Amino acid sequence: MNITFADKKLERLANDDSRLVKKYGKLRAGKIKARLTQLRFATTLEDVRHLPGNYHELTGTRKGQWACDLDQPYRLVFTPHENPIPANADGQFIWIEITGVEVIGIFNYHKA
């Protein structure tokens, strides 16, 4: 799967192991690398749907975004490259038609 990043700073961080560890610690950095590797080796988003990491669609103000677990409560958050996002007649997103994602952040979106 094609992976891009929301900005150059995030891309540099995600591709530099020592920066990842310095910013997020060894555990979270390892989870970030694992999730990005899963995404890179996938052909479509459907390929990661049932892998460790709990890949899931977000709702509410984050509808159209996906996340996967890192260390609680942090998530890797991304959006599909496809615009519009493929959906069926009921409005459900079609994961198998998503072939690229843009990583928009690594954060805890549950904070008030």
Side-chain angles (χ1 to χ4, degrees), residues 4-16:
T4 58
F5 295 86
D7 58 51
K8 292 290 183 192
K9 182 178 177 184
L10 182 58
E11 183 176 12
R12 281 192 305 272
L13 178 65
N15 291 307
D16 186 324

Side-chain angles (χ1 to χ4, degrees), residues 64 73 79 84-85 96-97 99 108:
T79 57
I85 301 170
I96 200 164
E97 293 183 15
T99 60
N108 172 11

